Amino acid sequence: MSEFWKKKMRTLLYTFDYDKDGYISEQDVVDMAYGFADAYNAKPEKKENLASIFKKTWRKYMKAGDIEKEPRLTVMTFTASIKQQLYDPDFMITIVRLMHGLFELIDVSQDGYLQPQEHIEWFKHLGVPEGTFDPKFAFVAVDANGDGKISIEEFTAGFLDFLFSQNESSPNQYFFGPLVDEAKYP
């Protein structure tokens, strides 16, 4: 895989590393799910559903790691795990479920679309520092049909492009904000 793709995986790890200790663990994933749910004032059943989806996603990431020996993933083990599973249909199903669960949560208006303000709030909850990135750029990239709103299909397709594409000119590289460089997460 290209260095560009590895940089995207570093960004994904940084996003899911909820306590920002340089690793991703099951606790990070659970804390992130509950943190999102709390930030969006999700009902208890939605909160538990999101946590369940995040845990299932975590189990898929652990394939490349030895859970008994080291229950957390480094950039190297995380990237190796994703690479190993990229074309596994079960992995794809898990990722799509994760994106649908997130979409349903951040679609505060519950109209089936992310409006620009909902998308901006998503970046705040991801922890992207204000002033470091213009989320409108990512919104336009994910809004593939240009209708001023993001459907669940566009949201999922944007993430899948982020995950699979090695095209350095794809605007979906900014799905989670600016890419994280190696100096921040070696």
Side-chain angles (χ1 to χ4, degrees):
M1 295 301 212
S2 69
E3 287 304 312
F4 171 69
W5 183 82
K6 290 175 185 175
K7 192 172 188 175
K8 291 192 304 178
M9 294 308 99
R10 192 176 303 111
T11 301
L12 189 56
L13 181 126
Y14 178 78
T15 300
F16 281 87
D17 178 11
Y18 200 70
D19 61 8
K20 301 300 184 230
D21 65 354
Y23 302 91
I24 184 173
S25 67
E26 184 169 8
Q27 192 62 52
D28 283 320
V29 172
V30 170
D31 289 348
M32 178 178 243
Y34 287 139
F36 276 143
D38 289 343
Y40 285 99
N41 299 313
K43 293 179 181 175
E45 62 275 4
K46 194 175 236 184
K47 185 176 184 175
E48 291 307 317
N49 182 52
L50 187 66
S52 174
I53 292 168
F54 270 61
K55 285 178 189 177
K56 286 177 186 172
T57 304
W58 168 252
R59 290 184 199 117
K60 293 301 262 185
Y61 289 152
M62 284 304 294
K63 272 190 171 179
D66 181 349
I67 204 166
E68 298 299 321
K69 191 171 159 186
E70 183 60 59
R72 57 192 189 164
L73 297 175
T74 64
V75 170
M76 188 183 338
T77 55
F78 178 78
T79 302
S81 182
I82 297 295
K83 182 180 176 185
Q84 177 183 354
Q85 300 172 75
L86 272 178
Y87 302 103
D88 176 348
D90 290 335
F91 179 68
M92 178 73 79
I93 290 167
T94 301
I95 295 301
V96 168
R97 284 186 184 139
L98 173 66
M99 290 297 101
H100 284 208
L102 283 172
F103 183 91
E104 290 170 9
L105 183 70
I106 62 180
D107 177 19
V108 175
S109 64
Q110 298 296 297
D111 63 354
Y113 296 95
L114 296 183
Q115 306 301 328
Q117 190 55 43
E118 291 170 323
H119 196 251
I120 289 169
E121 289 299 314
W122 153 252
F123 275 92
K124 287 180 186 175
H125 296 304
L126 284 176
V128 176
E130 286 189 53
T132 62
F133 180 74
D134 185 355
K136 293 175 191 167
F137 178 72
F139 184 89
V140 170
V142 178
D143 179 19
N145 67 6
D147 65 356
K149 55 191 176 184
I150 298 172
S151 68
I152 195 167
E153 294 82 12
E154 289 171 319
F155 186 74
T156 303
F159 177 69
L160 292 174
D161 183 67
F162 175 88
L163 190 62
F164 288 95
S165 175
Q166 294 194 54
N167 177 359
E168 293 186 37
S169 64
S170 170
N172 286 314
Q173 67 179 290
Y174 302 111
F175 191 86
F176 291 105
L179 295 179
V180 174
D181 63 22
E182 194 167 1
K184 191 168 191 172
Y185 265 71

